[in-house]
Amino acid sequence: MILVLGVCGWAAACTGSLFQSKVVAPSTYLLSAPAAASAAAPAPLAGDLAVLKPRVRAGLDTDRIAVLYPDRRLQYFADARWSGSLDDVVQDLAVQAFRNGAQLKNVSADASVFGSGYWLEIEIADFQAEYASAGAPPTINVRLLARVGSAGTRHILASFNAGARQTATDNRLTAIVDAYERAVNAALAEIVEGTSRTLTETLKHP
């Protein structure tokens, strides 16, 4: 085979087709948080929150879209990717969710953790499409474990176990990604609500 390729590389009649990739470029999917409510919001709390880079369960620490079969085989949808690694995707969604749904003075990623009064740590325990039977659309399972703490005292103020399950409307990848978005946003909404409640009480009674 090496000899054949060498002759082809030398011959003037070679078309160059051996160097043309036939690999299909994967589709990239972007998840977004819901827009902020348009109603007049109360004055923000006098607190800053840093959203730390999430920790990710083994097998999910990739930009590939995970799928779990009834026999517990973990695989990935072909030719499909998230817009970044899963820790980056969920961190970005969490920052969006807090900016749109929490009344805090400032919310940022962990680059500015030392300038923030409070931090949020998320562990991604589940983030996969689960098939129960052949032919039926999968159910998206998202489970996030979260802790909120004080940067000054390093104390953990509260912990949350937020989860959501959403069944895709059909077996197309666009419908599956839509179910992913609904599930992760529902789980993050729980974390935003719990964190806001915790910080409100903490700031009232420091």
Side-chain angles (χ1 to χ4, degrees):
M1 178 62 72
I2 294 176
L3 179 60
V4 171
L5 290 177
V7 171
C8 182
W10 169 82
C14 275
T15 63
S17 60
L18 290 173
F19 303 100
Q20 295 175 1
S21 174
K22 297 185 183 302
V23 177
V24 177
S27 297
T28 300
Y29 291 90
L30 177 69
L31 299 178
S32 299
S38 57
L45 297 172
D48 296 326
L49 180 70
V51 178
L52 308 182
K53 182 80 74 176
R55 294 181 295 165
V56 187
R57 183 179 180 181
L60 302 177
D61 50 347
T62 175
D63 64 348
R64 303 179 71 183
I65 303 177
V67 53
L68 187 68
Y69 291 99
D71 60 0
R72 308 306 297 170
R73 281 181 300 125
L74 180 66
Q75 295 186 349
Y76 308 93
F77 288 110
D79 303 325
R81 297 287 189 274
W82 295 124
S83 56
S85 60
L86 189 57
D87 55 352
D88 285 337
V89 168
V90 173
Q91 183 185 35
D92 181 64
L93 282 173
V95 170
Q96 290 182 52
F98 273 93
R99 287 176 177 171
N100 295 342
Q103 304 306 321
L104 293 169
K105 187 171 65 176
N106 184 54
V107 180
S108 60
D110 59 342
S112 58
V113 61
F114 297 107
S116 300
Y118 302 94
W119 51 263
L120 177 77
E121 181 182 65
I122 295 174
E123 179 180 349
I124 304 171
D126 288 295
F127 206 92
Q128 65 273 346
E130 297 180 352
Y131 280 94
S133 59
T139 295
I140 307 307
N141 180 14
V142 171
R143 185 163 60 95
L144 306 176
L145 312 178
R147 300 188 303 170
V148 59
S150 168
T153 64
R154 299 183 181 274
H155 288 165
I156 297 173
L157 304 175
S159 299
F160 312 103
N161 187 340
R165 298 178 69 89
Q166 294 284 339
T167 300
T169 56
D170 60 43
N171 232 348
R172 292 178 301 109
L173 195 52
T174 51
I176 292 170
V177 169
D178 177 70
Y180 262 110
E181 185 169 272
R182 287 185 280 116
V184 68
N185 283 330
L188 287 172
E190 290 185 45
I191 294 174
V192 170
E193 180 182 2
T195 301
S196 298
R197 185 170 59 248
T198 297
L199 295 185
T200 297
E201 291 301 314
T202 300
L203 291 168
K204 283 182 179 178
H205 309 287

